[in-house]
Amino acid sequence: METILTDCVHHSLRHFMYRNAIFMCERLCSEFPSETNLQLLAGCFLQNNQAYAAYHILKGTQMAQSRYLFAISCFQMDLLHDAEAALCPPNEPGAEIPNGAAGHYLLGLIYRYTDRRRSAIQHFQQALSLDPLMWCAYEELCVLGAAEDASSVFGEAAVLCIQKQCLHNRFENLHTLNDDLNSASARNNNPDDVRSRQSKQAQINNLRDIPTNYHGQVNLGGPASQIANGSSNISFYNTPSPVAAQLSAIAPPPLCRNTQQNGSSLNSLGTDSSRSTVNSIIQAPRRKFVDEGKLRKISGRLFSDSGPRRSSRLAGEAGANTNASGAGAANNGTTNSTKYLGGSKLNSITFRSMAVRKGQSFANENIDEGIQNEAFDDSRSNASLSVSSSSPSSDNRTLEQGATKSVGGSLTNDAKIINGASEILGLLRILGEGFRLSCLFRCQDALDVYHKLPYKHYSTGWVLSQVGKVYFELVDYLEADRAFSLARHASPHSLEGMDVYSTVLYHLKEDMKLSYLAQELISTDRLAPQSWCAMGNCYSLQKDHETALKNFQRAVQLNPRFAYAHTLCGHEYVALEDFENGIKSYQSALRVDSRHYNSWYGLGMIYLRQEKFEFSEHHFRMAFQINPRSSVVMSYLGTSLHALKRSEDAMMMMEKAILADKKNPLPMYQKANILVSLERLDEALQVLEELKEYAPRESSVYALMGKIYKRRYMHEKAMLHFGLALDLKPSAADVATIKAAIEKLHVPDEIEDNL
């Protein structure tokens, strides 16, 4: 019953029928209460996005897999301290972190979100060293700005690590088979074992009408009871566990077609009548549903092809008579790790193995149940007879023959593993280096690396989104729009980078495209923060800042760890001149991602407007340290330095900003302002004349030129430039400033300053 319920649960999970899986697993836990079954039930709830249910089920459990699943539940519920305590029990400081690389990755996330950067980096690196294919760990290192070159992370050492893992799994299966055969041989001569099997066999005889016995026993008919009193021949019916033979590359022992081959076993029966009785017993389990030839073919496939897909519980109970501890291991053993948690989303978790020892997996139920059960039952009977009737030396010979075949055939497999690993890691080297450079804001270098990708990978949605983000950081909004449009065409279902794409359209003032994008994203996934960020940008472009703020707050509510949503909330608060809440939003973003330079920049802008120039300079400098190639950040850092009377430092920073992006008019305008304050009016006019070519419709350029001409008492030119500035429709505040300057056109600057 336990096996049937377990297989039903896994069958439901494989077909995404979570409600059925939860219902059947609750029946399983009620009938067979064990921590392993509780793990399976918690896994069902986690896959159904019910972390709170898994939390209450696993609270107080001690097994490694239970602690890992409990930590995932806590992480999804934002109980980070409880999650950390589950992975690293305070009362067991030397306890091993469960599930290897996956456990280290989860612990790294916990440390990252609790502002322990150094510990987070250490565990992400440990996860990568254990599993070089854990891309999400490398992504986190890139986001933290601590990633090594991709060529060193995904290099030859990683190839050897992957090969070592494959060889370790292979040889572990060989050792498992050897242990099973040795333990079976040792127990064949144990009188106590014989008596226990006799009593069990008597119980099994009562189940002869059941078509299939899932416990790996030989279903003996009436004649079996006639020789049940003989102790020397009971080993003939002992059924060793076929799990190791299935899961290793070694074929199982040959089927016993002629029982006369092993004289020692038959002689132990003593008389011809006993021998005929044994022959009748051997024939008793033969089913008449399938002919013998087809049966052998099916059983061969079961032992070779579908072996790794058998239920671990089925395997564990199959060896119940030969290994008393085997069933306990199947019911209470640790489980394999749930591998990748995905871009920082933890609600889609695949539980491929919940109660299996390493190397085993669950049953495949995609074949005809009747034929599978009959063939499997018969093949197990034959395997039982063959193994139990042979001597220990024949067991060893079988193992050696199988091992020779396995090792001989593994040479080509090893070459395939090395070649496959090299190809995968070669691809990851390009992708990893491009992502690392983009996180370091070395945008042009990142583009050059991405262009090295094969077209089939470059044209995927993820890569094109990364290219769009790089162009966005380069302030090349047209190219960014093109890259994101291609990404949408390649993966219309993906939301990767769509929040940035909506900001690109906001800067391009493409209100129609932005509105269409927002509607599409909402219809695709209304529970994704990217969708609400796009909707908020749409309203912000229409100057409806209050509605935009509500949409950004909805994005934060859906994912509090989405840093960009916090930053966009801060921008809207600033637009509404609610600086206090703006500061809180920017600080919330920095708690999620301390390298989110947009929030440092936002805080600097607030303090600049509040004329807190020292605070402003500090926050702009923090943003500059994270992104030393942003022309905008350098411009405002120079402005803060100028306000602090550090004009020379400000001029140097403006020169860097101009070199970083010659198309950006802001640093040239700020440079002209600094020159005016230093009374270097001719140089300021020269800079502004050059700036007019880049920004011919910027009203502030003409207003500043009018101010310079006024100070040089060139009133006609001053009036001309003030008029041009008004014609370009500046903001209301700028209009008031320009009109005030026109009214005081003939008032000397000295008198105007006194006024």
Side-chain angles (χ1 to χ4, degrees):
M1 180 178 177
E2 184 176 9
T3 303
I4 296 174
L5 286 173
T6 303
D7 291 343
C8 177
V9 172
H10 290 295
H11 179 81
S12 299
L13 291 177
R14 283 196 299 273
H15 293 84
F16 309 101
M17 298 185 296
Y18 299 134
R19 289 182 58 192
N20 191 67
I22 292 170
F23 177 82
M24 299 306 293
C25 200
E26 285 178 341
R27 309 284 77 72
L28 173 67
C29 292
S30 299
E31 191 72 28
F32 304 98
S34 70
E35 189 168 327
T36 303
N37 290 337
L38 289 180
Q39 293 173 8
L40 184 57
L41 180 59
C44 296
F45 279 117
L46 282 172
Q47 293 203 51
N48 200 38
N49 294 325
Q50 293 177 267
Y52 52 88
Y55 173 87
H56 290 289
I57 289 171
L58 295 173
K59 190 173 184 179
T61 52
Q62 299 298 324
M63 291 175 61
Q65 180 67 11
S66 300
R67 291 191 290 116
Y68 177 75
L69 295 177
F70 182 73
I72 289 180
S73 305
C74 294
F75 186 85
Q76 292 187 9
M77 297 170 66
D78 206 27
L79 303 174
L80 300 184
H81 293 293
D82 291 346
E84 180 183 355
L87 294 175
C88 303
N91 55 347
E92 300 177 27
E96 184 178 355
I97 296 174
N99 284 352
H104 282 284
Y105 172 71
L106 178 57
L107 192 56
L109 289 176
I110 294 168
Y111 284 140
R112 178 193 166 188
Y113 292 129
T114 52
D115 200 21
R116 286 175 281 180
R117 182 176 180 273
R118 183 174 300 177
S119 297
I121 292 171
Q122 183 180 359
H123 283 281
F124 289 140
Q125 290 174 340
Q126 183 68 16
L128 266 180
S129 66
L130 293 173
D131 186 359
L133 298 182
M134 186 166 280
W135 167 260
C136 53
Y138 188 75
E139 266 189 331
E140 293 295 334
L141 288 171
C142 291
V143 171
L144 291 172
E148 300 176 5
D149 286 349
S151 58
S152 61
V153 176
F154 303 110
E156 293 299 324
V159 176
L160 296 176
C161 182
I162 295 173
Q163 183 187 15
K164 182 179 178 181
Q165 289 176 352
C166 295
L167 291 175
H168 175 76
N169 294 337
R170 184 181 303 162
F171 284 113
E172 189 176 65
N173 292 333
L174 289 176
H175 290 310
T176 303
L177 174 64
N178 192 15
D179 293 341
D180 286 347
L181 291 177
N182 290 337
S183 60
S185 300
R187 283 191 299 271
N188 284 340
N189 299 320
N190 188 345
D192 295 334
D193 239 14
V194 170
R195 283 192 293 272
S196 65
R197 284 195 298 271
Q198 287 177 351
S199 61
K200 289 181 181 179
Q201 194 63 54
Q203 297 175 3
I204 293 172
N205 289 340
N206 297 328
L207 303 176
R208 55 183 298 184
D209 295 332
I210 299 177
T212 303
N213 185 358
Y214 284 90
H215 295 275
Q217 307 272 352
V218 178
N219 291 339
L220 298 181
S225 60
Q226 299 176 7
I227 62 167
N229 296 324
S231 62
S232 62
N233 60 351
I234 296 300
S235 64
F236 199 80
Y237 311 108
N238 182 28
T239 306
S241 172
V243 176
Q246 285 178 301
L247 298 180
S248 66
I250 303 176
L255 297 177
C256 180
R257 296 187 180 86
N258 186 359
T259 60
Q260 300 290 339
Q261 290 177 356
N262 192 340
S264 60
S265 295
L266 293 180
N267 289 337
S268 66
L269 296 174
T271 62
D272 291 339
S273 62
S274 299
R275 187 178 296 113
S276 63
T277 304
V278 172
N279 288 335
S280 66
I281 293 172
I282 294 172
Q283 297 299 324
R286 295 287 183 183
R287 309 288 180 172
K288 301 302 179 183
F289 300 129
V290 187
D291 65 45
E292 187 171 347
K294 182 182 294 185
L295 202 58
R296 292 197 193 97
K297 293 179 182 179
I298 296 172
S299 64
R301 289 198 301 272
L302 286 170
F303 275 108
S304 58
D305 295 339
S306 63
R309 303 178 70 170
R310 270 187 64 205
S311 170
S312 63
R313 298 184 179 276
L314 188 63
E317 296 184 16
N321 286 345
T322 61
N323 191 349
S325 63
N331 288 332
N332 298 308
T334 58
T335 66
N336 290 335
S337 63
T338 301
K339 235 180 178 183
Y340 301 109
L341 303 179
S344 303
K345 288 188 176 181
L346 296 175
N347 28 356
S348 59
I349 306 173
T350 304
F351 292 88
R352 295 181 180 273
S353 55
M354 290 299 302
V356 298
R357 63 186 171 188
K358 194 170 184 179
Q360 297 177 354
S361 58
F362 293 112
N364 176 19
E365 297 163 0
N366 295 330
I367 61 176
D368 183 78
E369 291 292 330
I371 296 177
Q372 178 191 17
N373 294 335
E374 296 300 332
F376 187 60
D377 189 58
D378 198 15
S379 61
R380 285 186 301 187
S381 303
N382 289 322
S384 165
L385 295 173
S386 175
V387 174
S388 59
S389 63
S390 60
S391 64
S393 61
S394 65
D395 293 339
N396 295 333
R397 283 197 300 273
T398 303
L399 177 63
E400 291 171 0
Q401 292 172 1
T404 303
K405 294 178 182 178
S406 175
V407 173
S410 69
L411 296 177
T412 55
N413 290 337
D414 289 345
K416 290 181 179 178
I417 290 172
I418 293 174
N419 291 335
S422 298
E423 291 177 3
I424 294 171
L425 293 172
L427 178 63
L428 292 182
R429 277 194 292 273
I430 301 176
L431 292 169
E433 189 64 12
F435 189 75
R436 185 183 74 89
L437 292 172
S438 65
C439 288
L440 294 176
F441 302 101
R442 295 169 55 182
C443 299
Q444 192 56 53
D445 294 337
L447 284 176
D448 294 339
V449 172
Y450 282 133
H451 287 146
K452 295 178 183 177
L453 285 168
Y455 176 76
K456 58 186 176 183
H457 288 286
Y458 183 85
S459 58
T460 57
W462 186 87
V463 175
L464 289 170
S465 294
Q466 297 304 317
V467 171
K469 290 180 182 178
V470 170
Y471 279 121
F472 171 74
E473 294 297 340
L474 289 171
V475 202
D476 192 345
Y477 297 133
L478 292 175
E479 283 298 321
D481 181 17
R482 178 175 174 274
F484 279 121
S485 297
L486 291 173
R488 288 286 297 165
H489 180 74
S491 302
H493 58 278
S494 175
L495 302 181
E496 174 68 32
M498 292 300 105
D499 50 324
V500 179
Y501 185 27
S502 66
T503 304
V504 169
L505 297 177
Y506 172 89
H507 285 296
L508 291 174
K509 303 189 186 308
E510 294 278 1
D511 52 348
M512 293 294 293
K513 290 178 69 173
L514 180 54
S515 176
Y516 180 71
L517 174 68
Q519 292 292 338
E520 273 197 325
L521 296 180
I522 289 292
S523 62
T524 300
D525 188 356
R526 64 183 302 106
L527 298 180
Q530 294 91 335
S531 303
W532 294 98
C533 285
M535 188 64 74
N537 275 328
C538 185
Y539 282 107
S540 183
L541 184 60
Q542 305 299 325
K543 306 299 182 184
D544 189 352
H545 297 296
E546 292 183 355
T547 306
L549 179 59
K550 291 179 181 177
N551 284 275
F552 293 140
Q553 288 173 336
R554 173 61 175 159
V556 169
Q557 183 184 30
L558 289 169
N559 187 357
R561 299 191 183 105
F562 198 71
Y564 194 45
H566 289 284
T567 301
L568 292 174
C569 284
H571 292 340
E572 295 307 310
Y573 278 124
V574 171
L576 294 170
E577 297 190 353
D578 186 352
F579 297 138
E580 182 179 354
N581 283 318
I583 290 173
K584 290 180 180 179
S585 293
Y586 291 135
Q587 290 174 341
S588 298
L590 292 175
R591 278 193 291 270
V592 175
D593 182 4
S594 61
R595 296 188 74 252
H596 193 65
Y597 81 96
N598 311 70
S599 293
W600 291 108
Y601 163 82
L603 287 170
M605 289 297 296
I606 290 177
Y607 291 126
L608 185 64
R609 293 182 63 174
Q610 292 179 337
E611 297 185 357
K612 298 178 181 179
F613 300 122
E614 291 183 354
F615 289 171
S616 175
E617 188 265 339
H618 167 74
H619 288 86
F620 282 132
R621 192 168 294 280
M622 291 295 296
F624 175 68
Q625 290 175 358
I626 297 169
N627 185 0
R629 293 169 179 80
S630 172
S631 177
V632 176
V633 171
M634 286 187 275
S635 300
Y636 282 106
L637 177 56
T639 303
S640 297
L641 291 171
H642 174 58
L644 291 170
K645 311 300 182 183
R646 296 163 58 183
S647 299
E648 294 299 325
D649 293 339
M651 284 293 296
M652 292 175 59
M653 191 58 63
M654 292 303 176
E655 294 292 347
K656 288 182 180 180
I658 293 170
L659 291 175
D661 185 6
K662 294 183 179 180
K663 296 180 181 179
N664 184 10
L666 180 61
M668 297 182 70
Y669 177 77
Q670 297 291 1
K671 179 182 176 181
N673 262 323
I674 296 172
L675 291 172
V676 169
S677 66
L678 296 175
E679 298 295 334
R680 294 158 63 176
L681 302 181
D682 291 336
E683 294 180 49
L685 279 174
Q686 185 178 354
V687 171
L688 292 171
E689 288 290 344
E690 184 180 355
L691 181 57
K692 283 200 303 185
E693 298 179 4
Y694 293 104
R697 300 190 60 81
E698 186 62 48
S699 63
S700 57
V701 174
Y702 295 96
L704 183 57
M705 292 180 72
K707 183 178 178 181
I708 293 173
Y709 284 125
K710 176 190 173 185
R711 295 184 67 172
R712 297 183 66 180
Y713 302 103
M714 302 173 66
H715 298 119
E716 292 183 359
K717 284 190 175 183
M719 189 63 190
L720 173 63
H721 285 84
F722 284 140
L724 290 173
L726 289 174
D727 291 341
L728 293 174
K729 297 180 180 179
S731 63
D734 290 340
V735 168
T737 303
I738 294 170
K739 288 184 176 180
I742 293 174
E743 292 175 358
K744 299 176 182 178
L745 182 60
H746 298 284
V747 178
D749 292 338
E750 295 81 5
I751 299 176
E752 183 179 347
D753 294 337
N754 293 330
L755 293 175

